[in-house]
Amino acid sequence: MSSSNNSHVTIREAILENVPKEVEISRIEYEGPRIAIYTKRPEILVEQSYIIPDIVRLIRKRIVVRSDPSVRLSESETERLIYENVSSDAEITSVNFDPTIGEVIIEAKKPGIVIGKNGDMLREIVKSTRWRPRVLRSPPLTSYIIQSIRHYIHSESKERERILHSTGERVFRSQVVENDAVRLITLGGFQEVGRSAILIQSKESNVLLDCGLNPGSKKPIDTYPRLDLSVFRLEDLDAVVITHAHLDHCGFLPFLFKYGYDGPVYCTEPTASLTTLLQLDYLDVAQKQGIIPAYDQKDVRSTTLHTITQNYGVVTDVSPDIRLTFSNAGHILGSAILHLHVGEGFYNIVYTGDYKYGPTSLLEPAVTNFPRVETLITESTYGSFNDVMPPRKEVEKWFVSVLNETLNKRGKVLIPVPAVGRAQEILMVIDKYMREKSLMEAPVFIDGMISEATAIHTAYPEYLAASIRDQIFHQGINPFESDYFVNIKHSSERQNVINEEACVVLATSGMLEGGPAIEYFKSFAPNESNSIVFVSYQIDGTLGRRVRNGINEVSIIENGKVNVVKQNMQVHAIEGFSGHSDRKQIFRYIRNLSSKPDRIIICHGERSKCFDMAKMLKRSRYETHVPSNQEMLHLKG
Ligand code: ZN
């Protein structure tokens, strides 16, 4: 931390004045958007737990306590001590270390025992090892992605340290110019669905909200956000914030690192894991289709190292004049609505990303509570006059009857699903109705990366709806495991599915743009006793959209050859399972916001949906804008 800067001196002084001498502070360091106090006696600050909150109130910055690396026990010694001291009843399944921040991550089947009465055991671990324990419930399914992210961050801890430090230098730089303007630049995802990207600019800072790509488009000019605009300068970018892990919001992110971005990416922890999974899968699918993607695995790894995760409700400085808070969006696991506070009370923006203001099996509805909102940026995927979804119960009944009809004829049902969100939602519905016997029992084959995405869901139960959390925490039930489900682990097993009669197949991709869903499509399509059921939004230009619209012949390019497939399956599109709000829910959401916005900006919807939405909002006397891409809006000043 440099001493040339006034605000830094105050922070340092406030800390040194308020922390007792015996704590032996060895350094005060930036750690991304937080201030890390390194101490040789971390146990004192754990014991006297009021000291740090007092300082936080004083300086209004986030502080974390880290043990000085010189006093930490070796990793192997620490692991041994943990196993020795914690009762084996805790059933510890793994012990991992994050040396950058001095954390030991302990996964156990009974985390309560590791924590001990009133946190006794945790204090004991800090005292004897000087690592800060973070205790997690062992997920019932192992996620390969979460494990490899942990290992990668461990192996690159020096580089991670550098990134966090330089991020902090930037976040806590002293503000050069006075706040007198806030601008919004539309880089992608306006009057369209896909490639979401919004640049927020104050005189001092630049923050990019989402960095997606359009999976339905073939030309680069329509596929990627317009980062070529002169107002967008990579070297001026303070932060990138990702709302959720769908490719149309995060698919282009690694590209920034390929071109030298060295700053932070903020998102929730589930979003970080899911984003990595989706980007790697995107590269895999592209390779199989012979497409050269705009970035590679190295850039995905770089993204991981630059990612700083944040829970819902935590206020974080992302630049000298912008504070960010995440709230639950109810769309997919970890999805967030962003609240940006610019300047000290100068301006407030809420960006919904994709959101669901209604009940689903997986998640709680989107949060409406914000201290202040001047500009609301809302999606409008289902924002048209006639976009009203039937009640959830009816949707489920409809879905069950569609499946029964095909299964009774000994036909096969193909459900193309995005791996994240809709897949888990549909699996839970199928399991429920098959157990109740109102849906004919049949094997449910799961192909693509759905099972990995499901494993990630089980790793973050605190992000799931209260009812599921309760099942996992108190009843010991994992709702994602069912006797009906069969995971297809290798492409050679697909033939078994194809030979099967009366079965259900859930496969990626959700819009039939590559992935195993295509393999099943080719074999199921000619037979009219089979059916295809769409349960998610089909972007214009995708094969899924064309099939949904009723084409009866499909050309699929394989190894340079065109394969013409007759499409005779029954086609059903059941949109009530969507993770998006319908028109009524969007309205109700806006009405229920705790602070009434002065202005509403509409994005993430096809042109006609955006304008329909605007018309309806104007009737309710909201100032409404429907910008196209490449526009600059002066929000204030
Ligand atoms: Zn989405």
Side-chain angles (χ1 to χ4, degrees), residues 441-491:
E441 289 176 283
V444 179
F445 296 101
I446 303 169
D447 203 340
M449 43 157 190
I450 298 168
S451 42
E452 173 60 32
T454 305
I456 295 175
H457 278 69
T458 66
Y460 303 104
E462 66 276 25
Y463 281 82
L464 296 168
S467 57
I468 306 182
R469 220 162 44 215
D470 184 64
Q471 283 182 29
I472 296 173
F473 285 169
H474 302 298
Q475 303 168 33
I477 300 171
N478 170 17
F480 299 110
E481 273 179 343
S482 158
D483 292 339
Y484 301 114
F485 302 162
V486 185
N487 276 316
I488 302 298
K489 295 193 186 73
H490 192 265
S491 55

Side-chain angles (χ1 to χ4, degrees), residues 141 361-362 392 399 415 417-419 421-435 439 443-447 450-455 457 479-482 484-487 504-507 535 577:
L141 308 170
S361 314
L362 280 183
R392 178 62 195 236
F399 177 74
I415 310 178
V417 270
R422 251 15 61 200
Q424 289 71 30
E425 186 81 28
I426 295 295
L427 286 175
M428 289 178 64
V429 172
I430 292 177
D431 178 57
K432 180 177 149 208
Y433 286 93
M434 280 194 183
R435 270 191 288 123
L439 174 57
V444 179
F445 296 101
I446 303 169
D447 203 340
I450 298 168
S451 42
E452 173 60 32
T454 305
H457 278 69
F480 299 110
E481 273 179 343
S482 158
Y484 301 114
F485 302 162
V486 185
N487 276 316
V504 180
V505 176
L506 267 79
V535 291
F577 285 119

Side-chain angles (χ1 to χ4, degrees), residues 243-249 331-332 335 353-355 379 381 420 422 579-580 604:
T243 56
H244 68 283
H246 281 152
L247 283 180
D248 57 332
H249 295 259
H331 173 63
I332 60 168
S335 62
D354 295 354
Y355 66 112
E379 64 134 323
T381 320
V420 176
R422 251 15 61 200
H580 295 276
H604 201 286

Side-chain angles (χ1 to χ4, degrees), residues 247-259:
L247 283 180
D248 57 332
H249 295 259
C250 70
F252 204 52
L253 179 59
F255 180 86
L256 300 180
F257 291 96
K258 180 174 176 173
Y259 281 85

